[in-house]
Every structure is written in C-alpha cells, then in structure tokens.
Amino acid sequence: MTEAAELPPAPEQAREVFGHRFADAVRYAELLAEAGVQRGLIGPREVPRLWERHLLNCAVLSEVVPEGVTVCDVGSGAGLPGIPLALVREDLKITLLEPLLRRTTFLTEVVELLGLDHVTVVRGRAEEVMGKLPPVHVVTARAVAPLDRLATWGIPLLRPYGEMLALKGDTAEEELKAAATALSKLGAVETSVLHVGEGVVDPLSTVVRVEVGESPGGVRFAAKRAKAARTGRARRRR
C-alpha cells in the first residue's frame, strides 16, 4: 500500500530505546502504517512521522513510570502510549482500555502478534470499569481529552497514592492551571509538568503528572468504589 511505503526507516534512537524489542517496534510501526490507516485508527498524514511523533514520543514516557507497577492506558486507541511503553518495559503489567470494538480488535491483534504477555486489552469506558478492574499504580493517556475531563476518567482507576501520567503538548501548563480545582476535588495532592526524552525526541515529550492521596477520585468516588467492590464480592460468592 502507498501508506506503508511512506513509512520512513527507524531512526537510530529507536534501536537504543527499544533494545531487543526493536524488531517488534518496527513491526508495530508497519501495522500502524498499514492496518492502522486502513481502519481509520490514524491519519495517513501521520505515517511519515510515526517514529518521532508517536512511537518514540510515547516510549520515553517509561522514564517516569516506576518499576514493576500496574498501568492502565485509558483511551488507548491504536495503542499509544501503551504499546510502546510495553515494548520498552517488560516489568510492567499493562491494561489497554478502549471503548471502540474496531480499536480493541486491532490492539488484540498487535498484542498477540508481538507476544506481549504482560499486556491485556479491555473493551470499555473508564467510568464503566471502575470496581470491575483492580485499581492500578499508574494511569497513562495521550490525546484523549482536556486534563480536567481526563482526570475524572483516569484518577478513579488509581489505587491510593497512585499517579496519572498524561502526555500533553505546549498547553500543558495552562491545562494544569485550569484543572487545578477539579484535580483537588478528585483527590490530587501533587501536580507537575515533566519533560522527558532528552537525546531521543526533539522537542521533548511533555508529561503532566498528577499524584493522588489515599482517596483517588475524592469523596464522590469513594462510595461508588465501595459499592462496586461489594457487588464484586457478592458475585464471586454465587
């Protein structure tokens, strides 16, 4: 296909970042350029910049993800940032959460093809799976929604003292200021803007980090989470 032919060779930085998983990263890039475009998961204009703007931009998120934690990639779409993160961090247990069937079908195919045994694909919306999925240490997201709305979906999925890591663009600081009140109500105790990918991507990837306290989602979600847990226990006893 023409779209696949436009995929540029992997830059040298990709070999360093993906290491022994470099061949899998190349295959993933090819899948995005072919099936990803054909199924409408990414635009054909993104193919020439898949490596710098998408794969590497997401892979460097690994710099700020703690070791050996559980991760939920909210609104995973075509697998960004979840799949690049999984390729460079086999110590993580990652859930790719996506509501659309055509996207979860693609994600399942990629996970199986690349042998990502530490990755699970779940179809659903964040607000629907709370209480059904175990709370995670880290929630990731990229280009899903403005920060205040994203936080209402992602933060309730966290375990106490977890963190949400959102890949954002030039408006990160402004979004964080605008969302300050909403984040506080959702149980955020610390926020920051980080820049990662030195020597790998230019410009650097911008990450908004939102750390929560003992009540992720705040008071509003505490009762909802407890009710979901009770329902889950009742179902298991049947």
Side-chain angles (χ1 to χ4, degrees):
M1 298 293 292
T2 302
E3 292 85 354
E6 295 174 357
L7 179 66
E12 194 58 37
Q13 296 95 317
R15 291 183 180 274
E16 300 171 9
V17 170
F18 291 103
H20 75 281
R21 283 282 197 173
F22 172 69
D24 291 325
V26 171
R27 186 64 186 123
Y28 177 50
E30 292 170 347
L31 289 167
L32 287 174
E34 297 165 3
V37 171
Q38 293 163 9
R39 300 184 194 183
L41 303 182
I42 66 166
R45 293 183 180 180
E46 296 303 310
V47 174
R49 51 186 186 176
L50 268 178
W51 283 106
E52 288 81 3
R53 183 180 174 86
H54 298 287
L55 273 75
L56 289 172
N57 177 271
C58 291
V60 296
L61 182 62
S62 64
E63 295 178 17
V64 290
V65 177
E67 187 175 347
V69 298
T70 53
V71 178
C72 183
D73 188 31
V74 172
S76 195
L80 301 164
I83 289 178
L85 183 61
L87 288 170
V88 298
R89 293 288 300 277
E90 296 180 2
D91 60 299
L92 305 175
K93 296 291 185 182
I94 300 177
T95 298
L96 306 180
L97 181 63
E98 169 57 45
L100 296 184
L101 177 60
R102 62 187 172 89
R103 294 176 179 170
T104 54
T105 299
F106 175 79
L107 292 173
T108 300
E109 292 170 0
V110 172
V111 166
E112 291 177 354
L113 182 66
L114 302 185
L116 299 175
D117 298 333
H118 57 306
V119 177
T120 302
V121 179
V122 173
R123 185 185 176 196
R125 300 182 183 278
E127 57 268 35
E128 297 169 346
V129 302
M130 191 182 72
K132 299 177 183 177
L133 293 180
V136 296
H137 297 90
V138 177
V139 162
T140 60
R142 178 180 187 251
V144 173
L147 187 61
D148 55 350
R149 198 186 322 159
L150 173 63
T152 66
W153 300 334
I155 287 180
L157 300 177
L158 291 170
R159 57 186 292 168
Y161 307 104
E163 59 185 336
M164 183 176 73
L165 299 172
L167 280 162
K168 288 289 183 177
D170 297 336
T171 62
E173 295 279 3
E174 289 80 1
E175 280 195 55
L176 191 51
K177 289 178 183 177
T181 300
L183 292 174
S184 179
K185 290 179 179 178
L186 287 166
V189 295
E190 190 76 33
T191 62
S192 53
V193 175
L194 312 173
H195 299 283
V196 296
E198 184 73 42
V200 178
V201 290
D202 185 17
L204 299 179
S205 297
T206 301
V207 181
V208 173
R209 171 185 269 161
V210 178
E211 300 171 72
V212 300
E214 62 182 13
S215 299
V219 176
R220 176 186 170 192
F221 287 94
K224 188 174 181 181
R225 187 180 293 106
K227 180 180 178 181
R230 288 195 299 272
T231 302
R233 287 195 296 270
R235 286 174 179 168
R236 286 193 292 271
R237 284 196 296 266
R238 291 175 186 171

